[in-house]
Amino acid sequence: MNTSGSNSGTISAVGHSYVDVATGTRLDAWFPEGATEDSPPARSCLAVELGVNVGETVTVTIDDLDAPPADLADAYLRLHLLSRREIQPHDANLDGMFGLMTNCAWTSAGPVLPERVDDLRTAAASLGHPVSVTAVDKIPRMVDYVIPQGVRIGDADRVRLGAHLADGTTVMHEGFVNFNAGTLGPAMVEGRISAGVVIGAHSDLGGSASTMGMLSGGGRERVSIGEHCLLGANSGIGIALGDNCTVEAGLYVTAGSLITLPDGSVVKGRDISGHSGMLLIRNSVSGAIEMRVADPSRWEGINPELHKN
């Protein structure tokens, strides 16, 4: 892969694509490091051996990452760039991506159109091969295309291609990371990082903690989490957090949540979005959400021994 300049520089890559034989529909695109036109990438799967799919070389040139993707292969390349850490979330325009990508049945025999699964199973049975389907979706799991160095992922099905996982990130079995989202440094992910959400270094998303994305009803507030933050188990945010913030277990703070400040005044969550040093709790007597000034020395961050990946 050749890159030059910033978002306006030219990016060129040679990849391999599976195509449905019957309709000519392009299913995916894989861009491994080091592939060139003189040394194109190669892969195979049972769907190809059985004549359901065919593999072909694909070349993509992106002149400007600020422009939306032109086709499926272009979109796949942008997702690869994210997962390979060559760009960070929001560095590439992904507008219209879903309309370009093919909804595939991701099977143990390779990706196929959903309506081809029964034909694939029948053909595979003649050779004694079972076929399982792990998902029906437009975006595949990341590890089938990119495996970034220095990370641990408990359940590969829960990290989509286009996730940006920094060195030292651990995604536990119940953690989830969507595309165009992820971590910028060592982090513990036991909750959900929704599309577009970025987590700073040395932060911890507790079990079943949730971050509100912008794809479906998330509003206009871009959610992000700074460094040395902790979201307690079953908590959630629809606002940005600066550095050294803690959200109490079970508390969900949205842009419209009413929050009592230390001086007794009441503001909405959007009014404190992005601030650092906050401890957000729910008063167990009144039920009101309160913001208190956090003492960063009370929480020493995630255990570094867990993140020597």
Side-chain angles (χ1 to χ4, degrees):
M1 185 178 302
N2 298 317
T3 63
S4 61
S6 60
N7 283 14
S8 60
T10 298
I11 298 172
S12 297
V14 178
H16 181 276
S17 182
Y18 286 132
V19 177
D20 177 68
V21 169
T23 64
T25 302
R26 191 176 301 281
L27 304 173
D28 77 339
W30 171 55
F31 296 96
E33 294 188 78
T36 65
E37 292 183 356
D38 294 330
S39 181
R43 58 180 175 160
S44 187
C45 62
L46 186 59
V48 170
E49 295 179 19
L50 294 173
V52 177
N53 292 347
V54 65
E56 62 182 37
T57 300
V58 59
T59 300
V60 175
T61 298
I62 301 175
D63 292 322
D64 186 357
L65 283 174
D66 289 331
D71 54 25
L72 178 145
D74 183 327
Y76 263 85
L77 177 53
R78 293 170 193 241
L79 296 178
H80 277 70
L81 293 172
L82 284 161
S83 290
R84 288 156 62 120
R85 307 171 185 155
E86 296 183 31
I87 61 174
Q88 292 188 358
H90 306 292
D91 279 353
N93 187 340
L94 299 178
D95 291 349
M97 181 185 75
F98 279 101
L100 300 172
M101 300 182 74
T102 302
N103 194 40
C104 293
W106 302 96
T107 82
S108 55
V112 297
L113 293 177
E115 57 268 30
R116 299 280 183 267
V117 172
D118 287 346
D119 293 338
L120 177 63
R121 282 200 171 112
T122 299
S126 64
L127 301 178
H129 290 289
V131 174
S132 59
V133 180
T134 59
V136 180
D137 197 2
K138 291 191 173 188
I139 301 179
R141 60 185 187 178
M142 181 186 72
V143 298
D144 289 334
Y145 295 79
V146 178
I147 300 181
Q149 295 297 307
V151 305
R152 287 170 34 220
I153 300 172
D155 186 346
D157 287 338
R158 298 180 65 82
V159 180
R160 298 173 102 185
L161 181 63
H164 182 286
L165 301 184
D167 193 349
T169 296
T170 295
V171 183
M172 297 299 289
H173 292 75
E174 289 304 312
F176 172 80
V177 187
N178 213 332
F179 72 96
N180 201 31
T183 62
L184 301 181
M188 172 64 76
V189 182
E190 300 176 271
R192 187 177 79 238
I193 303 179
S194 299
V197 177
V198 179
I199 310 299
H202 309 294
S203 289
D204 186 335
L205 270 66
S208 298
S210 175
T211 56
M212 186 182 294
M214 299 178 65
L215 288 180
S216 301
R220 298 180 180 179
E221 187 74 36
R222 179 176 289 185
V223 175
S224 63
I225 297 175
E227 298 184 352
H228 299 284
C229 291
L230 171 65
L231 265 64
N234 295 304
S235 67
I237 56 170
I239 63 173
L241 299 180
D243 299 331
N244 298 300
C245 292
T246 298
V247 179
E248 178 186 63
L251 174 62
Y252 207 119
V253 181
T254 68
S257 296
L258 296 179
I259 300 171
T260 301
L261 301 182
D263 64 2
S265 62
V266 178
V267 300
K268 290 188 176 181
R270 64 174 59 91
D271 297 322
I272 60 171
S273 183
H275 286 217
S276 296
M278 298 187 295
L279 170 62
L280 295 166
I281 66 170
R282 185 178 293 280
N283 188 304
S284 59
V285 176
S286 67
I289 301 175
E290 297 179 355
M291 188 278 278
R292 299 179 181 177
V293 177
D295 180 0
S297 67
R298 291 184 179 178
W299 186 60
E300 298 179 351
I302 56 179
N303 184 350
E305 293 298 318
L306 295 175
H307 303 282
K308 293 180 179 179
N309 297 335

